Amino acid sequence: MTLAAVAWSVGALAWAARSAWRRPSPRAAAAPAGTALSGIVYAFGAGMSPRAKESASHHPLVYVAGLVYHAGVLSGGAALVAHLAGAPLPASVALGLGAAMTLGAAAGLVLLARRRSNPLLQAISAPDDYASNAIVDAWLASGALAMFTWSATPFLVLTIVLALYAPLGKIRHCVFFFLARGLFGTRLGRRGVVAHLHGSRS
């Protein structure tokens, strides 16, 4: 059941990504002023730093919470792969993954509470914003429980819920983030407006 849900999620996300990638976009009329590669390198490199993100630079603690949250998700993915592969984890590795997922779940709850308590965030939030966060938080907590107690049943059940929901809600940004960031970098590079080529932000 878990493998079937994961297969559904991967297949649906791949189909959606393929459809988005093949969608025609307007052809640029101007001659290139730079290279797409330079833009892509910037988009996935220096462009990810808080200094290059206005919102992140003004909310450093939120940025750190996001990093911890996503580190927890990556740890949860590693734990899931190991479990599905039947690979026993050394106690130290299981402890590290469990700690990362615990911190990730805590960070997710902090971000969820911030969204719920901030009037501006409330105004732009949809039910999916809350549902996606809550599902991932519960998944991380169950994953940490599996690492600390070796009871994997809640983790697998919530993996099924997460996998079924991922292509339907905003969790699908786990794929579309890379597509959008790549397109963003390609356009910046082609236009020759990559920050590290034309001076850093003040």
Side-chain angles (χ1 to χ4, degrees):
M1 184 66 176
T2 304
L3 286 173
V6 171
W8 141 260
S9 185
V10 171
L13 288 170
W15 179 84
R18 178 176 179 272
S19 299
W21 187 259
R22 296 183 64 183
R23 189 174 300 157
S25 58
R27 183 180 296 275
T35 66
L37 179 59
S38 65
I40 292 173
V41 170
Y42 170 77
F44 287 100
M48 295 287 289
S49 70
R51 190 164 178 265
K53 294 171 171 284
E54 183 177 357
S55 178
S57 64
H58 288 95
H59 303 92
L61 295 180
V62 175
Y63 180 80
V64 171
L67 291 179
V68 173
Y69 193 30
H70 287 84
V73 171
L74 290 175
S75 298
L80 178 64
V81 169
H83 181 82
L84 294 179
L89 293 173
S92 58
V93 174
L95 182 63
L97 292 176
M101 284 186 277
T102 299
L103 292 173
L109 289 173
V110 168
L111 294 173
L112 181 60
R114 178 175 179 268
R115 180 180 294 277
R116 185 69 185 86
S117 62
N118 187 308
L120 293 177
L121 292 178
Q122 283 187 42
I124 61 173
S125 296
D128 179 39
D129 291 299
Y130 298 102
S132 296
N133 188 310
I135 290 172
V136 173
D137 292 348
W139 179 72
L140 288 173
S142 68
L145 181 65
M147 294 296 100
F148 293 138
T149 68
W150 303 102
S151 175
T153 300
F155 185 43
L156 295 178
V157 170
L158 282 162
T159 293
I160 294 172
V161 174
L162 177 65
L164 292 176
Y165 187 77
L168 308 175
K170 292 188 176 179
I171 299 174
R172 63 180 177 269
H173 81 271
C174 64
V175 171
F176 281 90
F177 166 81
F178 296 98
L179 295 178
R181 199 73 186 168
L183 181 59
F184 166 75
T186 297
R187 289 178 175 172
L188 280 185
R190 190 181 189 282
R191 293 173 181 174
V193 292
V194 177
H196 73 273
L197 296 179
H198 294 273
S200 59
R201 287 171 47 126
S202 58

